[in-house]
Amino acid sequence: MFKKLIAFLLFLCIAQLIWLYFQNKPEKVPEYVTDTVEKRDVTKVVSVTGSLEPQQRIQVQSPISEFLMKLIAKEGGTVKKGQVVAILDNQNLALSLMQAEAQLAQAEAGVLLSSARKTTTEDIRLAEQDIAAAEKNLEIAKRNLEQIDQTQEKNREQAELSRELAKADLQRIEADYHNIKSQNKDVVTTNDQGIAQAYAGAQDVADEAMSLLREAQRTTNEVTQQDSDITETGSYAGVNFGNRNIKLKNQVVNQYSGYKNNLNRFLEDEYQLLVSDHENPLSYLQRIEVLILEAKLLVDQANEVVADTIGVNDTSSLAVISELRGQLNNLETLLNASNAKLVASRQRIETAELSQDTSETSRTGRVDQAAAALIAAGVRYDQAKKSIEQVAVQNEDLYIKILSEVEVREEAVARAKLALAKVKANPRAVEIAGPKAQVKVAQATIAQAEFNLGKAEIKSPIAGIVTDIMVEEGEPMSLFQPMMTVMSPELKLIADVVETDIADLKVGQKAKVDFDAFSDNEVFEAKVFKISSSEKVLQGVIYYEVEFSLTQKKNNKLKSGLTGNIDIEVEGKKAVVAIDPQSIEYEDGLAKVYVLDASGQKQERIVEVGLEGDDFVEITKGIEEGDEVVLYEEEE
């Protein structure tokens, strides 16, 4: 017992010591990772990806349409500027040159003949005959001009008379048309009244028939006792109809069921409409007629069931049966009469509609005929008015034509007289000018043929490497058909720069390039050479094409198509106060950092940011060189 007490006291002492330790334990001082503020170089770089392309890539095309006789250039081979790369068939071109030379010789011979020509008596006689013929034609043209003046007035008067006659005819036919339309209005009113009366009578007959159809359903139901909900009275409930002939009663029950369904379907589908509102009144009445016939058959069969019950001994039932037979016979008579009325109403509607259709056809025919006559008269009147204008135009055109013919004939007389004077005179320089002009044309044709012949030798427009030969020897060439591509050995670096970076780029900025095909240590220098002013859209993003020139001398390792990573130095500052961007926090548009004081406590400083480089950020205000800026708190 004493040992247990000692152990318990010892436990209490230890617990007290542990509690005192944790109560007085010193707080752990946080440890920070810092960056000493110092002056650094701050550089802003734009990084893009580009590829090498040749400075020039020119497609050599066929300058003429001829067969390819010889292909000199080889794919992958080098050529000099002006070097022949292919030869076209020149036989046709050489033949054209020979023909041009022959034409020149012929033209030169014509010049000599014109210079040596002498005038003869026969030449003078023929020239005088030409003058006489020209003067006779001129006289005929003048007489035609006088006659046209006489016929113009007569044609105009005839055209005006035709117009007045057409106008009177138009007014008469227009009055007839309006008179026919007025008469037709009365006919339409009479026909509409007849149709309305026929529809009203048919509506009364239909309503009466529907009342009889319901009565037939009710009475037959009392005989068959199938539907308790439509039995209006229980006067026949004590009579056992059809017990003597169950087969007959079942036939009536089946007939009654079909009739009831047909009647109910008709009531649901159509009877809510008036006869005049129905889209097909005749079909509507015919359906009621069918229902009347079904009701009549049903009443006949119900009467047979009732007659089959006459043999019962119950005196009260006999009286009921006798009364019911009288009702059935009376209902059959009414159904016959109603059917006759329906047939008569349908016939009246048919007669009224037929009369309306006949009248409408006749009326429409008369109106159409009158309208057609009115249109025809209007056309004739318009034609008569246009005829006056046409006559005036024709007269004017004919006068101008004859007057022009007179002028032509006068010029022909003058030319004939001039020709006679030329015949009598010696050859002059003006007569030799024509053959001399033909000589110049022939000389131009020769020059063109020689030029075309020179096109048979196709030469490279630049010095470079031949790629993509697209033709074979013996193949017919068409004009401007591509034959091969010549690519210059000088290369340029092309990259697409996104719109958010393009504003930072300027021509002349330096860049460093490392190509995927080489190691990362092999870096090439370049400069921004050209910035495109037009955009291109790639997958919804706007880019601008930028061309770089490599500053190194020619390097055989570089080839067209190589992909390179380009770093462009767009802006930089030397030896400015700069810190790691990781130490800057932004809040409400302000930039702030934390600086450790002498006691190791961090203090908040609001700073102003200058150039934001890729590695460091310039600080223009808020901290000084030597300050310890907190990057982050070190974890335990």
Side-chain angles (χ1 to χ4, degrees):
M1 183 68 181
F2 180 74
K3 292 181 178 179
K4 291 182 179 179
L5 179 61
I6 295 298
F8 177 72
L9 292 175
L10 183 60
F11 173 76
L12 289 177
C13 291
I14 294 173
Q16 182 71 19
L17 291 174
I18 293 173
W19 182 81
L20 289 175
Y21 172 78
F22 281 103
Q23 286 293 321
N24 299 315
K25 181 181 178 180
E27 294 183 2
K28 182 180 179 180
V29 178
E31 296 184 4
Y32 300 100
V33 177
T34 62
D35 178 31
T36 302
V37 178
E38 59 183 31
K39 291 186 177 181
R40 300 181 171 103
D41 294 341
V42 180
T43 304
K44 184 177 181 181
V45 175
V46 172
S47 298
V48 294
T49 301
S51 60
L52 287 174
E53 295 182 8
Q55 289 283 359
Q56 287 182 292
R57 182 186 280 114
I58 297 179
Q59 194 176 69
V60 180
Q61 299 175 337
S62 174
I64 54 177
S65 298
E66 288 292 345
F67 283 90
L68 178 58
M69 187 169 64
K70 187 175 183 181
L71 188 60
I72 299 175
K74 304 296 181 183
E75 190 164 336
T78 59
V79 293
K80 297 179 180 180
K81 182 178 180 180
Q83 179 179 335
V84 177
V85 294
I87 299 175
L88 300 178
D89 186 3
N90 60 3
Q91 292 184 1
N92 293 332
L93 301 175
L95 180 61
S96 297
L97 177 59
M98 294 176 60
Q99 291 174 345
E101 291 173 343
Q103 291 174 356
L104 175 61
Q106 185 178 6
E108 289 174 344
V111 172
L112 294 175
L113 289 175
S114 298
S115 301
R117 185 180 62 82
K118 298 296 182 178
T119 302
T120 64
T121 304
E122 183 63 17
D123 293 336
I124 295 174
R125 185 182 69 79
L126 293 175
E128 290 174 344
Q129 287 181 354
D130 291 340
I131 293 175
E135 289 177 341
K136 184 176 182 179
N137 291 334
L138 175 61
E139 183 181 355
I140 294 172
K142 288 181 177 179
R143 282 202 302 269
N144 291 337
L145 186 62
E146 293 175 356
Q147 291 176 357
I148 191 62
D149 287 333
Q150 298 174 1
T151 58
Q152 281 182 347
E153 183 63 22
K154 182 178 180 181
N155 292 339
R156 186 183 63 81
E157 291 176 353
Q158 290 178 348
E160 289 180 350
L161 178 61
S162 297
R163 181 190 62 184
E164 293 303 321
L165 291 175
K167 181 178 180 180
D169 190 35
L170 174 62
Q171 291 173 346
R172 177 183 60 79
I173 293 176
E174 185 176 9
D176 291 344
Y177 172 72
H178 290 301
N179 185 34
I180 290 172
K181 287 188 68 177
S182 177
Q183 293 174 358
N184 284 337
K185 289 181 180 179
D186 297 336
V187 175
V188 171
T189 301
T190 301
N191 289 336
D192 290 344
Q193 291 174 352
I195 290 291
Q197 290 174 358
Y199 281 163
Q203 187 67 51
D204 294 339
V205 173
D207 292 341
E208 177 185 343
M210 292 310 302
S211 177
L212 292 173
L213 291 173
R214 292 189 180 94
E215 180 63 22
Q217 182 182 6
R218 186 190 66 79
T219 304
T220 307
N221 179 62
E222 292 179 346
V223 175
T224 59
Q225 297 177 353
Q226 295 298 306
D227 300 313
S228 60
D229 56 328
I230 65 170
T231 302
E232 297 180 0
T233 66
S235 57
Y236 308 125
V239 180
N240 188 10
F241 296 104
N243 284 346
R244 297 177 59 188
N245 192 342
I246 297 302
K247 182 177 181 180
L248 177 59
K249 182 179 179 181
N250 289 338
Q251 290 178 353
V252 176
V253 169
N254 293 334
Q255 178 69 20
Y256 167 72
S257 178
Y259 168 77
K260 180 185 67 174
N261 291 336
N262 290 339
L263 179 59
N264 290 339
R265 184 163 53 250
F266 176 81
L267 292 174
E268 291 174 358
D269 294 346
E270 300 192 27
Y271 191 62
Q272 67 272 23
L273 298 174
L274 298 176
V275 175
S276 57
D277 291 339
H278 202 278
E279 62 181 8
N280 191 341
L282 297 177
S283 174
Y284 174 62
L285 293 176
Q286 285 176 343
R287 288 194 63 184
I288 299 179
E289 289 179 29
V290 172
L291 288 173
I292 287 290
L293 294 175
E294 287 185 6
K296 183 178 178 299
L297 179 60
L298 185 62
V299 168
D300 287 342
Q301 291 182 345
N303 208 347
E304 292 179 9
V305 174
V306 174
D308 187 56
T309 316
I310 292 178
V312 300
N313 296 324
D314 187 0
T315 304
S316 61
S317 295
L318 288 175
V320 170
I321 291 170
S322 177
E323 179 185 350
L324 181 56
R325 289 196 68 190
Q327 289 185 7
L328 289 170
N329 291 332
N330 183 49
L331 181 57
E332 183 176 0
T333 302
L334 293 175
L335 287 171
N336 286 331
S338 178
N339 186 63
K341 290 179 181 179
L342 282 169
V343 173
S345 295
R346 183 163 51 81
Q347 290 175 347
R348 281 196 295 272
I349 292 176
E350 290 176 344
T351 302
E353 289 181 347
L354 179 61
S355 176
Q356 186 185 47
D357 293 342
T358 303
S359 177
E360 176 69 16
T361 302
S362 176
R363 180 181 63 81
T364 303
R366 292 182 61 199
V367 172
D368 290 345
Q369 289 177 356
L374 180 60
I375 293 172
V379 171
R380 289 194 297 272
Y381 178 61
D382 290 340
Q383 289 176 344
K385 289 193 296 184
K386 290 181 181 178
S387 179
I388 295 177
E389 299 173 356
Q390 291 174 352
V391 167
V393 172
Q394 290 173 356
N395 287 341
E396 182 68 18
D397 292 344
L398 185 58
Y399 182 81
I400 293 174
K401 180 179 179 181
I402 299 301
L403 182 61
S404 176
E405 186 176 353
V406 170
E407 294 174 352
V408 170
R409 299 306 181 189
E410 288 176 345
E411 291 177 359
V413 171
R415 286 197 302 271
K417 290 181 179 179
L418 180 61
L420 177 61
K422 289 181 178 181
V423 168
K424 292 181 179 180
N426 291 325
R428 296 177 299 171
V430 67
E431 295 175 329
I432 305 175
K436 286 185 176 180
Q438 292 179 357
V439 170
K440 291 183 177 181
V441 170
Q443 290 172 343
T445 303
I446 290 175
Q448 182 64 46
E450 290 174 344
F451 177 73
N452 291 338
L453 186 59
K455 289 182 179 180
E457 290 187 347
I458 301 175
K459 301 176 182 179
S460 174
I462 61 171
I465 301 171
V466 178
T467 63
D468 301 331
I469 294 180
M470 295 164 274
V471 293
E472 296 180 357
E473 291 183 357
E475 182 180 345
M477 296 288 101
S478 58
L479 184 62
F480 302 131
Q481 179 180 345
M483 300 179 67
M484 65 188 69
T485 301
V486 180
M487 185 177 68
S488 64
E490 296 82 9
L491 300 175
K492 59 183 177 180
L493 187 60
I494 300 296
D496 291 327
V497 180
V498 71
E499 61 176 331
T500 54
D501 292 334
I502 197 65
D504 294 330
L505 267 62
K506 297 179 178 59
V507 174
Q509 289 175 334
K510 296 181 179 180
K512 294 184 181 298
V513 187
D514 64 273
F515 292 96
D516 296 342
F518 311 139
S519 66
D520 295 340
N521 296 328
E522 192 167 3
V523 179
F524 295 80
E525 295 182 355
K527 286 185 179 181
V528 177
F529 180 73
K530 181 179 178 182
I531 301 175
S532 175
S533 58
S534 59
E535 78 284 359
K536 64 170 66 173
V537 180
L538 303 174
Q539 296 182 346
V541 181
I542 297 177
Y543 293 86
Y544 292 85
E545 186 177 274
V546 178
E547 180 180 337
F548 299 85
S549 60
L550 296 172
T551 56
Q552 286 94 335
K553 293 182 179 180
K554 182 177 179 181
N555 190 324
N556 293 330
K557 295 174 65 176
L558 298 180
K559 299 185 181 300
S560 176
L562 290 181
T563 301
N565 303 307
I566 310 168
D567 293 330
I568 310 132
E569 183 179 333
V570 297
E571 189 175 356
K573 290 185 179 181
K574 299 288 187 180
V576 294
V577 174
I579 60 176
D580 193 306
Q582 184 179 358
S583 62
I584 303 174
E585 295 182 6
Y586 293 92
E587 184 178 352
D588 297 331
L590 298 177
K592 63 180 181 180
V593 299
Y594 292 96
V595 180
L596 293 183
D597 59 13
S599 62
Q601 299 295 319
K602 66 177 184 179
Q603 296 179 346
E604 181 180 304
R605 300 273 188 92
I606 302 300
V607 296
E608 292 183 3
V609 176
L611 176 62
E612 297 184 19
D614 287 7
D615 298 323
F616 300 102
V617 177
E618 178 190 11
I619 304 299
T620 59
K621 186 177 180 181
I623 57 175
E624 298 179 354
E625 188 176 359
D627 287 342
E628 290 291 329
V629 178
V630 176
L631 296 178
Y632 55 88
E633 184 176 344
E634 191 174 29
E635 297 180 356
E636 293 183 4

